[in-house]
Amino acid sequence: MRILFIGDIVSQAGRSITQRNLKDLVNKHEIDFVIANGENVAHGKGITEKLYKELLSYGIDVVTLGNHFLLASESLNVLERSENLVRPLNIHSSIPGSGSKVFECKGKKIRVTNLLGKVFINDLNPSNPFDAIDEVLKESNEAIHFVDFHAEATAEKLSLGWYLDGKVSAVIGTHTHVPTADERILPQGTAYLTDVGMTGPYDGIIGTRRDLVIHKQRTGLPVKFDIQEGDAQFNACVIDIDDETGKAKEIFRININRDR
């Protein structure tokens, strides 16, 4: 089973570069199943039903989320009606949707779990991600289990990766929008990457207009952020997983931008 995971898709720029490249990447790398983080797909602020369906139309099988997904006014309604959407597991139970779902591909079951980190994450008041995933593992028996860990701190991501080594197929980080170069297979067979990066504006600062971010950093004054115009980048990774054991056999990054 070969899974392609696309880093946080941000705004029109992220959607366009995904649409242009996804089919060729699926064919080139013989991808079976596509997962993408879509929490910033609506101009960097949440997800709408229209854009959720648009992502699926590109060939994406499952959309995961994060701490910003409720910024779009209709996000709660999307959760109630969308089978191929996985929201963070460790948030309040009153929020609709599920944080861990099972899908089928090529006659095999694939579990996809979305977790939020606690360190420096102030939105949605997440509970302990270690305890949350433990509860899922008690009930699940799928060989292939992919975890999108939407978290800020690299140490927290590394901790969860090592904690889940041998228990899940992959732990891949999202949220910071900056790709890391530490992809590896941990000793017990879990693929790990601290952050897969962002699919969206290339010349911004994590997708946002440079001038606005720099002004806020220099002065400390509040600024209403907006999305950077211009070229886009595409950040993703491919994980090759043994169908029977659920152990990862290979992980590599894909980075597309005007300089590559």
mmCIF file of all heavy atoms in Angstrom, residues 5-11 13-15 17-18 35-42 44 55 63-69 114 116 148-151 157 172-179 194-201 206-207 233-236:
data_model
loop_
_atom_site.group_PDB
_atom_site.id
_atom_site.type_symbol
_atom_site.label_atom_id
_atom_site.label_comp_id
_atom_site.label_asym_id
_atom_site.label_seq_id
_atom_site.Cartn_x
_atom_site.Cartn_y
_atom_site.Cartn_z
ATOM 1 N N PHE A 5 0.657 11.605 1.270
ATOM 2 C CA PHE A 5 0.089 12.546 2.239
ATOM 3 C C PHE A 5 0.519 13.952 1.871
ATOM 4 O O PHE A 5 1.720 14.250 1.803
ATOM 5 C CB PHE A 5 0.542 12.206 3.654
ATOM 6 C CG PHE A 5 -0.030 13.138 4.698
ATOM 7 C CD1 PHE A 5 -1.389 13.404 4.747
ATOM 8 C CD2 PHE A 5 0.793 13.736 5.631
ATOM 9 C CE1 PHE A 5 -1.917 14.251 5.703
ATOM 10 C CE2 PHE A 5 0.280 14.588 6.600
ATOM 11 C CZ PHE A 5 -1.087 14.851 6.630
ATOM 12 N N ILE A 6 -0.456 14.832 1.658
ATOM 13 C CA ILE A 6 -0.202 16.205 1.219
ATOM 14 C C ILE A 6 -0.300 17.143 2.413
ATOM 15 O O ILE A 6 -1.289 17.143 3.147
ATOM 16 C CB ILE A 6 -1.217 16.625 0.136
ATOM 17 C CG1 ILE A 6 -1.178 15.642 -1.037
ATOM 18 C CG2 ILE A 6 -0.929 18.051 -0.343
ATOM 19 C CD1 ILE A 6 -2.305 15.835 -2.040
ATOM 20 N N GLY A 7 0.742 17.976 2.599
ATOM 21 C CA GLY A 7 0.767 18.912 3.710
ATOM 22 C C GLY A 7 -0.256 20.020 3.559
ATOM 23 O O GLY A 7 -0.712 20.341 2.443
ATOM 24 N N ASP A 8 -0.618 20.638 4.654
ATOM 25 C CA ASP A 8 -1.684 21.645 4.779
ATOM 26 C C ASP A 8 -1.934 22.422 3.482
ATOM 27 O O ASP A 8 -1.122 23.254 3.079
ATOM 28 C CB ASP A 8 -1.338 22.657 5.867
ATOM 29 C CG ASP A 8 -1.033 22.008 7.208
ATOM 30 O OD1 ASP A 8 -0.338 20.980 7.225
ATOM 31 O OD2 ASP A 8 -1.478 22.549 8.237
ATOM 32 N N ILE A 9 -3.071 22.170 2.848
ATOM 33 C CA ILE A 9 -3.436 22.871 1.621
ATOM 34 C C ILE A 9 -4.016 24.228 1.987
ATOM 35 O O ILE A 9 -5.029 24.313 2.681
ATOM 36 C CB ILE A 9 -4.433 22.050 0.782
ATOM 37 C CG1 ILE A 9 -3.803 20.705 0.368
ATOM 38 C CG2 ILE A 9 -4.859 22.834 -0.456
ATOM 39 C CD1 ILE A 9 -4.743 19.793 -0.386
ATOM 40 N N VAL A 10 -3.360 25.292 1.523
ATOM 41 C CA VAL A 10 -3.728 26.653 1.901
ATOM 42 C C VAL A 10 -4.244 27.421 0.687
ATOM 43 O O VAL A 10 -3.509 27.606 -0.291
ATOM 44 C CB VAL A 10 -2.524 27.396 2.513
ATOM 45 C CG1 VAL A 10 -2.900 28.832 2.857
ATOM 46 C CG2 VAL A 10 -2.019 26.675 3.758
ATOM 47 N N SER A 11 -5.492 27.833 0.743
ATOM 48 C CA SER A 11 -6.099 28.778 -0.195
ATOM 49 C C SER A 11 -6.098 28.274 -1.646
ATOM 50 O O SER A 11 -5.808 27.108 -1.932
ATOM 51 C CB SER A 11 -5.394 30.138 -0.090
ATOM 52 O OG SER A 11 -4.095 30.083 -0.638
ATOM 53 N N ALA A 13 -4.079 28.990 -4.039
ATOM 54 C CA ALA A 13 -2.754 28.582 -4.512
ATOM 55 C C ALA A 13 -2.504 27.108 -4.230
ATOM 56 O O ALA A 13 -2.015 26.366 -5.089
ATOM 57 C CB ALA A 13 -1.670 29.441 -3.846
ATOM 58 N N GLY A 14 -2.835 26.660 -3.033
ATOM 59 C CA GLY A 14 -2.644 25.265 -2.675
ATOM 60 C C GLY A 14 -3.559 24.336 -3.443
ATOM 61 O O GLY A 14 -3.145 23.246 -3.876
ATOM 62 N N ARG A 15 -4.781 24.765 -3.624
ATOM 63 C CA ARG A 15 -5.729 23.924 -4.371
ATOM 64 C C ARG A 15 -5.293 23.778 -5.826
ATOM 65 O O ARG A 15 -5.336 22.686 -6.397
ATOM 66 C CB ARG A 15 -7.143 24.522 -4.292
ATOM 67 C CG ARG A 15 -7.682 24.637 -2.874
ATOM 68 C CD ARG A 15 -9.181 24.856 -2.843
ATOM 69 N NE ARG A 15 -9.627 26.003 -3.610
ATOM 70 C CZ ARG A 15 -9.721 27.248 -3.146
ATOM 71 N NH1 ARG A 15 -9.351 27.518 -1.902
ATOM 72 N NH2 ARG A 15 -10.188 28.228 -3.912
ATOM 73 N N ILE A 17 -2.240 24.095 -7.274
ATOM 74 C CA ILE A 17 -1.042 23.289 -7.517
ATOM 75 C C ILE A 17 -1.314 21.813 -7.229
ATOM 76 O O ILE A 17 -0.739 20.930 -7.873
ATOM 77 C CB ILE A 17 0.167 23.819 -6.708
ATOM 78 C CG1 ILE A 17 1.475 23.236 -7.265
ATOM 79 C CG2 ILE A 17 0.018 23.541 -5.214
ATOM 80 C CD1 ILE A 17 2.714 23.884 -6.700
ATOM 81 N N THR A 18 -2.220 21.536 -6.309
ATOM 82 C CA THR A 18 -2.613 20.145 -6.066
ATOM 83 C C THR A 18 -3.347 19.575 -7.265
ATOM 84 O O THR A 18 -3.045 18.465 -7.731
ATOM 85 C CB THR A 18 -3.503 20.051 -4.815
ATOM 86 O OG1 THR A 18 -2.778 20.546 -3.688
ATOM 87 C CG2 THR A 18 -3.927 18.615 -4.551
ATOM 88 N N ILE A 35 -4.164 11.110 1.128
ATOM 89 C CA ILE A 35 -4.661 11.842 2.294
ATOM 90 C C ILE A 35 -4.105 13.259 2.210
ATOM 91 O O ILE A 35 -2.959 13.458 1.799
ATOM 92 C CB ILE A 35 -4.205 11.191 3.612
ATOM 93 C CG1 ILE A 35 -4.575 9.701 3.639
ATOM 94 C CG2 ILE A 35 -4.802 11.906 4.825
ATOM 95 C CD1 ILE A 35 -3.926 8.927 4.781
ATOM 96 N N ALA A 36 -4.904 14.252 2.582
ATOM 97 C CA ALA A 36 -4.433 15.638 2.583
ATOM 98 C C ALA A 36 -4.985 16.363 3.791
ATOM 99 O O ALA A 36 -6.142 16.152 4.184
ATOM 100 C CB ALA A 36 -4.862 16.356 1.305
ATOM 101 N N ASN A 37 -4.166 17.225 4.380
ATOM 102 C CA ASN A 37 -4.665 18.089 5.445
ATOM 103 C C ASN A 37 -5.315 19.308 4.799
ATOM 104 O O ASN A 37 -4.679 20.024 4.032
ATOM 105 C CB ASN A 37 -3.533 18.527 6.379
ATOM 106 C CG ASN A 37 -4.061 19.255 7.598
ATOM 107 O OD1 ASN A 37 -4.540 20.381 7.496
ATOM 108 N ND2 ASN A 37 -3.991 18.614 8.752
ATOM 109 N N GLY A 38 -6.593 19.546 5.142
ATOM 110 C CA GLY A 38 -7.352 20.608 4.489
ATOM 111 C C GLY A 38 -7.879 21.667 5.435
ATOM 112 O O GLY A 38 -8.843 22.359 5.098
ATOM 113 N N GLU A 39 -7.261 21.841 6.588
ATOM 114 C CA GLU A 39 -7.828 22.766 7.566
ATOM 115 C C GLU A 39 -7.744 24.232 7.141
ATOM 116 O O GLU A 39 -8.478 25.076 7.650
ATOM 117 C CB GLU A 39 -7.157 22.590 8.933
ATOM 118 C CG GLU A 39 -5.767 23.147 9.042
ATOM 119 C CD GLU A 39 -5.481 23.718 10.426
ATOM 120 O OE1 GLU A 39 -6.374 23.715 11.276
ATOM 121 O OE2 GLU A 39 -4.350 24.179 10.633
ATOM 122 N N ASN A 40 -6.854 24.552 6.198
ATOM 123 C CA ASN A 40 -6.681 25.940 5.749
ATOM 124 C C ASN A 40 -7.086 26.139 4.298
ATOM 125 O O ASN A 40 -6.669 27.103 3.663
ATOM 126 C CB ASN A 40 -5.218 26.364 5.913
ATOM 127 C CG ASN A 40 -4.750 26.361 7.351
ATOM 128 O OD1 ASN A 40 -3.735 25.767 7.675
ATOM 129 N ND2 ASN A 40 -5.484 27.016 8.225
ATOM 130 N N VAL A 41 -7.912 25.252 3.787
ATOM 131 C CA VAL A 41 -8.187 25.262 2.355
ATOM 132 C C VAL A 41 -9.035 26.465 1.936
ATOM 133 O O VAL A 41 -8.950 26.936 0.802
ATOM 134 C CB VAL A 41 -8.850 23.927 1.936
ATOM 135 C CG1 VAL A 41 -10.277 23.822 2.448
ATOM 136 C CG2 VAL A 41 -8.778 23.727 0.440
ATOM 137 N N ALA A 42 -9.853 26.996 2.857
ATOM 138 C CA ALA A 42 -10.741 28.123 2.545
ATOM 139 C C ALA A 42 -10.021 29.442 2.823
ATOM 140 O O ALA A 42 -10.209 30.055 3.876
ATOM 141 C CB ALA A 42 -12.032 28.031 3.348
ATOM 142 N N GLY A 44 -7.118 30.021 3.753
ATOM 143 C CA GLY A 44 -6.332 29.943 4.970
ATOM 144 C C GLY A 44 -7.132 29.891 6.248
ATOM 145 O O GLY A 44 -6.563 29.942 7.344
ATOM 146 N N LEU A 55 -11.690 19.117 -3.207
ATOM 147 C CA LEU A 55 -10.489 18.321 -2.916
ATOM 148 C C LEU A 55 -10.701 16.856 -3.312
ATOM 149 O O LEU A 55 -9.808 16.233 -3.894
ATOM 150 C CB LEU A 55 -10.132 18.427 -1.442
ATOM 151 C CG LEU A 55 -9.690 19.788 -0.915
ATOM 152 C CD1 LEU A 55 -9.343 19.697 0.569
ATOM 153 C CD2 LEU A 55 -8.515 20.342 -1.697
ATOM 154 N N VAL A 63 -9.589 13.717 3.874
ATOM 155 C CA VAL A 63 -9.121 15.043 4.290
ATOM 156 C C VAL A 63 -9.044 15.081 5.814
ATOM 157 O O VAL A 63 -10.019 14.785 6.500
ATOM 158 C CB VAL A 63 -10.059 16.153 3.786
ATOM 159 C CG1 VAL A 63 -9.586 17.521 4.277
ATOM 160 C CG2 VAL A 63 -10.148 16.135 2.259
ATOM 161 N N THR A 64 -7.868 15.428 6.343
ATOM 162 C CA THR A 64 -7.696 15.616 7.782
ATOM 163 C C THR A 64 -7.713 17.110 8.098
ATOM 164 O O THR A 64 -7.641 17.956 7.198
ATOM 165 C CB THR A 64 -6.379 14.988 8.266
ATOM 166 O OG1 THR A 64 -5.294 15.528 7.491
ATOM 167 C CG2 THR A 64 -6.412 13.470 8.105
ATOM 168 N N LEU A 65 -7.780 17.434 9.393
ATOM 169 C CA LEU A 65 -7.942 18.828 9.791
ATOM 170 C C LEU A 65 -6.922 19.203 10.868
ATOM 171 O O LEU A 65 -5.903 18.561 11.006
ATOM 172 C CB LEU A 65 -9.379 19.061 10.276
ATOM 173 C CG LEU A 65 -10.464 18.835 9.213
ATOM 174 C CD1 LEU A 65 -11.856 18.888 9.828
ATOM 175 C CD2 LEU A 65 -10.351 19.837 8.075
ATOM 176 N N GLY A 66 -7.212 20.268 11.647
ATOM 177 C CA GLY A 66 -6.294 20.724 12.680
ATOM 178 C C GLY A 66 -6.967 21.736 13.582
ATOM 179 O O GLY A 66 -8.187 21.722 13.744
ATOM 180 N N ASN A 67 -6.192 22.645 14.141
ATOM 181 C CA ASN A 67 -6.744 23.565 15.142
ATOM 182 C C ASN A 67 -7.500 24.744 14.550
ATOM 183 O O ASN A 67 -8.238 25.433 15.255
ATOM 184 C CB ASN A 67 -5.627 24.098 16.053
ATOM 185 C CG ASN A 67 -4.554 24.836 15.284
ATOM 186 O OD1 ASN A 67 -4.055 24.357 14.263
ATOM 187 N ND2 ASN A 67 -4.191 26.010 15.757
ATOM 188 N N HIS A 68 -7.366 25.004 13.229
ATOM 189 C CA HIS A 68 -8.009 26.167 12.613
ATOM 190 C C HIS A 68 -9.256 25.824 11.804
ATOM 191 O O HIS A 68 -9.833 26.714 11.189
ATOM 192 C CB HIS A 68 -7.016 26.882 11.686
ATOM 193 C CG HIS A 68 -5.873 27.520 12.395
ATOM 194 N ND1 HIS A 68 -4.591 27.537 11.882
ATOM 195 C CD2 HIS A 68 -5.801 28.163 13.591
ATOM 196 C CE1 HIS A 68 -3.787 28.163 12.725
ATOM 197 N NE2 HIS A 68 -4.493 28.548 13.768
ATOM 198 N N PHE A 69 -9.668 24.578 11.789
ATOM 199 C CA PHE A 69 -10.693 24.187 10.822
ATOM 200 C C PHE A 69 -12.045 24.846 11.072
ATOM 201 O O PHE A 69 -12.875 24.972 10.167
ATOM 202 C CB PHE A 69 -10.843 22.660 10.772
ATOM 203 C CG PHE A 69 -11.584 22.045 11.928
ATOM 204 C CD1 PHE A 69 -12.949 21.860 11.871
ATOM 205 C CD2 PHE A 69 -10.893 21.629 13.055
ATOM 206 C CE1 PHE A 69 -13.627 21.276 12.938
ATOM 207 C CE2 PHE A 69 -11.553 21.052 14.116
ATOM 208 C CZ PHE A 69 -12.932 20.872 14.065
ATOM 209 N N ASN A 114 -6.495 11.583 13.284
ATOM 210 C CA ASN A 114 -6.022 12.973 13.325
ATOM 211 C C ASN A 114 -5.925 13.395 14.787
ATOM 212 O O ASN A 114 -6.879 13.272 15.548
ATOM 213 C CB ASN A 114 -7.036 13.842 12.572
ATOM 214 C CG ASN A 114 -6.598 15.274 12.323
ATOM 215 O OD1 ASN A 114 -7.402 16.100 11.927
ATOM 216 N ND2 ASN A 114 -5.334 15.591 12.525
ATOM 217 N N LEU A 116 -4.364 16.432 17.705
ATOM 218 C CA LEU A 116 -3.831 17.765 17.971
ATOM 219 C C LEU A 116 -2.796 17.696 19.083
ATOM 220 O O LEU A 116 -2.991 16.997 20.079
ATOM 221 C CB LEU A 116 -4.951 18.716 18.427
ATOM 222 C CG LEU A 116 -5.692 19.551 17.389
ATOM 223 C CD1 LEU A 116 -6.669 20.486 18.104
ATOM 224 C CD2 LEU A 116 -4.742 20.337 16.519
ATOM 225 N N ASP A 148 -2.037 11.616 11.401
ATOM 226 C CA ASP A 148 -1.665 13.010 11.139
ATOM 227 C C ASP A 148 -1.638 13.707 12.488
ATOM 228 O O ASP A 148 -2.664 13.903 13.128
ATOM 229 C CB ASP A 148 -2.702 13.653 10.207
ATOM 230 C CG ASP A 148 -2.523 15.174 10.054
ATOM 231 O OD1 ASP A 148 -1.607 15.745 10.671
ATOM 232 O OD2 ASP A 148 -3.333 15.776 9.318
ATOM 233 N N PHE A 149 -0.429 14.088 12.939
ATOM 234 C CA PHE A 149 -0.280 14.763 14.239
ATOM 235 C C PHE A 149 -0.082 16.250 13.981
ATOM 236 O O PHE A 149 1.000 16.704 13.605
ATOM 237 C CB PHE A 149 0.902 14.176 15.005
ATOM 238 C CG PHE A 149 0.983 14.638 16.438
ATOM 239 C CD1 PHE A 149 -0.138 15.023 17.148
ATOM 240 C CD2 PHE A 149 2.211 14.665 17.092
ATOM 241 C CE1 PHE A 149 -0.063 15.438 18.469
ATOM 242 C CE2 PHE A 149 2.302 15.075 18.420
ATOM 243 C CZ PHE A 149 1.160 15.473 19.103
ATOM 244 N N HIS A 150 -1.140 17.014 14.207
ATOM 245 C CA HIS A 150 -1.157 18.448 13.942
ATOM 246 C C HIS A 150 -0.674 19.164 15.193
ATOM 247 O O HIS A 150 -1.434 19.397 16.130
ATOM 248 C CB HIS A 150 -2.587 18.869 13.574
ATOM 249 C CG HIS A 150 -2.671 20.166 12.842
ATOM 250 N ND1 HIS A 150 -2.438 20.276 11.488
ATOM 251 C CD2 HIS A 150 -2.970 21.419 13.264
ATOM 252 C CE1 HIS A 150 -2.597 21.530 11.108
ATOM 253 N NE2 HIS A 150 -2.915 22.247 12.175
ATOM 254 N N ALA A 151 0.599 19.501 15.233
ATOM 255 C CA ALA A 151 1.209 20.002 16.470
ATOM 256 C C ALA A 151 2.292 21.022 16.158
ATOM 257 O O ALA A 151 2.863 21.040 15.067
ATOM 258 C CB ALA A 151 1.782 18.847 17.283
ATOM 259 N N LYS A 157 6.097 16.170 18.777
ATOM 260 C CA LYS A 157 5.896 15.280 17.638
ATOM 261 C C LYS A 157 6.837 14.073 17.709
ATOM 262 O O LYS A 157 6.414 12.925 17.480
ATOM 263 C CB LYS A 157 6.110 16.045 16.330
ATOM 264 C CG LYS A 157 5.068 17.116 16.053
ATOM 265 C CD LYS A 157 5.376 17.846 14.746
ATOM 266 C CE LYS A 157 4.362 18.932 14.471
ATOM 267 N NZ LYS A 157 4.623 19.649 13.213
ATOM 268 N N ILE A 172 2.925 11.353 10.918
ATOM 269 C CA ILE A 172 3.407 12.454 10.087
ATOM 270 C C ILE A 172 2.878 13.765 10.657
ATOM 271 O O ILE A 172 1.680 13.919 10.890
ATOM 272 C CB ILE A 172 2.958 12.310 8.618
ATOM 273 C CG1 ILE A 172 3.312 10.913 8.088
ATOM 274 C CG2 ILE A 172 3.587 13.409 7.777
ATOM 275 C CD1 ILE A 172 4.783 10.597 8.054
ATOM 276 N N GLY A 173 3.770 14.729 10.866
ATOM 277 C CA GLY A 173 3.402 15.999 11.463
ATOM 278 C C GLY A 173 2.910 17.018 10.458
ATOM 279 O O GLY A 173 3.358 17.068 9.308
ATOM 280 N N THR A 174 1.954 17.834 10.904
ATOM 281 C CA THR A 174 1.479 18.987 10.147
ATOM 282 C C THR A 174 1.422 20.186 11.091
ATOM 283 O O THR A 174 1.758 20.087 12.258
ATOM 284 C CB THR A 174 0.080 18.725 9.541
ATOM 285 O OG1 THR A 174 -0.822 18.330 10.592
ATOM 286 C CG2 THR A 174 0.117 17.632 8.488
ATOM 287 N N HIS A 175 0.998 21.324 10.564
ATOM 288 C CA HIS A 175 0.695 22.549 11.310
ATOM 289 C C HIS A 175 1.717 23.657 11.142
ATOM 290 O O HIS A 175 1.335 24.819 10.999
ATOM 291 C CB HIS A 175 0.511 22.290 12.811
ATOM 292 C CG HIS A 175 0.241 23.535 13.610
ATOM 293 N ND1 HIS A 175 -0.889 24.306 13.443
ATOM 294 C CD2 HIS A 175 0.968 24.161 14.580
ATOM 295 C CE1 HIS A 175 -0.858 25.331 14.291
ATOM 296 N NE2 HIS A 175 0.265 25.279 14.974
ATOM 297 N N THR A 176 3.013 23.399 11.167
ATOM 298 C CA THR A 176 3.969 24.508 11.131
ATOM 299 C C THR A 176 4.166 25.085 9.731
ATOM 300 O O THR A 176 4.710 26.177 9.589
ATOM 301 C CB THR A 176 5.342 24.090 11.679
ATOM 302 O OG1 THR A 176 5.968 23.187 10.760
ATOM 303 C CG2 THR A 176 5.218 23.457 13.047
ATOM 304 N N HIS A 177 3.740 24.337 8.702
ATOM 305 C CA HIS A 177 3.834 24.766 7.302
ATOM 306 C C HIS A 177 5.268 24.826 6.787
ATOM 307 O O HIS A 177 5.512 25.302 5.677
ATOM 308 C CB HIS A 177 3.161 26.133 7.086
ATOM 309 C CG HIS A 177 1.678 26.117 7.235
ATOM 310 N ND1 HIS A 177 0.862 27.115 6.742
ATOM 311 C CD2 HIS A 177 0.851 25.226 7.831
ATOM 312 C CE1 HIS A 177 -0.395 26.854 7.021
ATOM 313 N NE2 HIS A 177 -0.426 25.702 7.689
ATOM 314 N N VAL A 178 6.221 24.347 7.565
ATOM 315 C CA VAL A 178 7.621 24.329 7.143
ATOM 316 C C VAL A 178 8.090 22.878 7.117
ATOM 317 O O VAL A 178 8.138 22.216 8.160
ATOM 318 C CB VAL A 178 8.505 25.148 8.095
ATOM 319 C CG1 VAL A 178 9.961 25.084 7.659
ATOM 320 C CG2 VAL A 178 8.031 26.596 8.161
ATOM 321 N N PRO A 179 8.449 22.336 5.933
ATOM 322 C CA PRO A 179 8.842 20.932 5.869
ATOM 323 C C PRO A 179 10.165 20.661 6.571
ATOM 324 O O PRO A 179 11.089 21.468 6.511
ATOM 325 C CB PRO A 179 8.954 20.656 4.364
ATOM 326 C CG PRO A 179 9.233 21.991 3.761
ATOM 327 C CD PRO A 179 8.515 23.003 4.614
ATOM 328 N N THR A 194 8.659 14.860 11.046
ATOM 329 C CA THR A 194 8.207 15.887 11.992
ATOM 330 C C THR A 194 7.196 16.827 11.366
ATOM 331 O O THR A 194 6.173 17.147 11.987
ATOM 332 C CB THR A 194 9.402 16.688 12.528
ATOM 333 O OG1 THR A 194 10.239 15.794 13.291
ATOM 334 C CG2 THR A 194 8.954 17.806 13.447
ATOM 335 N N ASP A 195 7.432 17.309 10.150
ATOM 336 C CA ASP A 195 6.415 18.114 9.463
ATOM 337 C C ASP A 195 6.548 17.958 7.966
ATOM 338 O O ASP A 195 7.629 18.134 7.405
ATOM 339 C CB ASP A 195 6.511 19.593 9.842
ATOM 340 C CG ASP A 195 5.176 20.307 9.623
ATOM 341 O OD1 ASP A 195 4.776 20.460 8.451
ATOM 342 O OD2 ASP A 195 4.529 20.682 10.612
ATOM 343 N N VAL A 196 5.444 17.618 7.325
ATOM 344 C CA VAL A 196 5.439 17.390 5.888
ATOM 345 C C VAL A 196 5.447 18.710 5.118
ATOM 346 O O VAL A 196 5.788 18.740 3.938
ATOM 347 C CB VAL A 196 4.222 16.524 5.488
ATOM 348 C CG1 VAL A 196 2.916 17.265 5.702
ATOM 349 C CG2 VAL A 196 4.323 16.032 4.052
ATOM 350 N N GLY A 197 5.104 19.822 5.791
ATOM 351 C CA GLY A 197 5.124 21.124 5.138
ATOM 352 C C GLY A 197 3.759 21.580 4.680
ATOM 353 O O GLY A 197 2.728 21.039 5.077
ATOM 354 N N MET A 198 3.751 22.581 3.812
ATOM 355 C CA MET A 198 2.528 23.237 3.368
ATOM 356 C C MET A 198 2.418 23.185 1.851
ATOM 357 O O MET A 198 3.415 23.277 1.132
ATOM 358 C CB MET A 198 2.547 24.700 3.813
ATOM 359 C CG MET A 198 1.402 25.536 3.295
ATOM 360 S SD MET A 198 1.675 27.306 3.532
ATOM 361 C CE MET A 198 3.034 27.596 2.404
ATOM 362 N N THR A 199 1.194 23.074 1.380
ATOM 363 C CA THR A 199 0.910 23.199 -0.048
ATOM 364 C C THR A 199 0.112 24.486 -0.228
ATOM 365 O O THR A 199 -1.075 24.549 0.102
ATOM 366 C CB THR A 199 0.130 21.975 -0.546
ATOM 367 O OG1 THR A 199 0.961 20.815 -0.402
ATOM 368 C CG2 THR A 199 -0.276 22.122 -1.992
ATOM 369 N N GLY A 200 0.800 25.528 -0.701
ATOM 370 C CA GLY A 200 0.173 26.838 -0.791
ATOM 371 C C GLY A 200 1.176 27.871 -1.253
ATOM 372 O O GLY A 200 2.171 27.534 -1.908
ATOM 373 N N PRO A 201 0.987 29.155 -0.923
ATOM 374 C CA PRO A 201 1.857 30.229 -1.416
ATOM 375 C C PRO A 201 3.329 30.004 -1.079
ATOM 376 O O PRO A 201 3.673 29.731 0.069
ATOM 377 C CB PRO A 201 1.306 31.468 -0.711
ATOM 378 C CG PRO A 201 -0.131 31.145 -0.442
ATOM 379 C CD PRO A 201 -0.145 29.690 -0.120
ATOM 380 N N ILE A 206 4.783 31.165 5.880
ATOM 381 C CA ILE A 206 3.830 30.073 6.133
ATOM 382 C C ILE A 206 2.484 30.338 5.459
ATOM 383 O O ILE A 206 1.426 30.007 5.962
ATOM 384 C CB ILE A 206 3.676 29.722 7.629
ATOM 385 C CG1 ILE A 206 3.127 30.875 8.462
ATOM 386 C CG2 ILE A 206 5.006 29.247 8.188
ATOM 387 C CD1 ILE A 206 2.818 30.479 9.914
ATOM 388 N N GLY A 207 2.553 30.930 4.248
ATOM 389 C CA GLY A 207 1.364 31.157 3.435
ATOM 390 C C GLY A 207 0.801 32.556 3.520
ATOM 391 O O GLY A 207 0.012 32.977 2.679
ATOM 392 N N GLN A 233 3.745 26.297 -3.809
ATOM 393 C CA GLN A 233 4.599 25.141 -3.548
ATOM 394 C C GLN A 233 3.707 23.954 -3.183
ATOM 395 O O GLN A 233 2.579 24.127 -2.713
ATOM 396 C CB GLN A 233 5.570 25.430 -2.412
ATOM 397 C CG GLN A 233 4.888 25.719 -1.078
ATOM 398 C CD GLN A 233 5.867 26.000 0.038
ATOM 399 O OE1 GLN A 233 6.969 25.485 0.044
ATOM 400 N NE2 GLN A 233 5.455 26.832 0.982
ATOM 401 N N PHE A 234 4.249 22.765 -3.386
ATOM 402 C CA PHE A 234 3.532 21.523 -3.066
ATOM 403 C C PHE A 234 4.451 20.671 -2.206
ATOM 404 O O PHE A 234 5.539 20.295 -2.646
ATOM 405 C CB PHE A 234 3.170 20.783 -4.357
ATOM 406 C CG PHE A 234 2.444 19.481 -4.159
ATOM 407 C CD1 PHE A 234 1.054 19.420 -4.200
ATOM 408 C CD2 PHE A 234 3.144 18.299 -3.953
ATOM 409 C CE1 PHE A 234 0.381 18.218 -4.042
ATOM 410 C CE2 PHE A 234 2.484 17.088 -3.780
ATOM 411 C CZ PHE A 234 1.093 17.055 -3.831
ATOM 412 N N ASN A 235 4.043 20.393 -0.980
ATOM 413 C CA ASN A 235 4.837 19.567 -0.076
ATOM 414 C C ASN A 235 4.038 18.333 0.326
ATOM 415 O O ASN A 235 2.881 18.449 0.755
ATOM 416 C CB ASN A 235 5.223 20.352 1.180
ATOM 417 C CG ASN A 235 6.261 21.418 0.893
ATOM 418 O OD1 ASN A 235 7.165 21.215 0.095
ATOM 419 N ND2 ASN A 235 6.134 22.563 1.539
ATOM 420 N N ALA A 236 4.654 17.184 0.196
ATOM 421 C CA ALA A 236 3.969 15.928 0.500
ATOM 422 C C ALA A 236 5.004 14.866 0.835
ATOM 423 O O ALA A 236 6.216 15.105 0.772
ATOM 424 C CB ALA A 236 3.125 15.483 -0.702
#
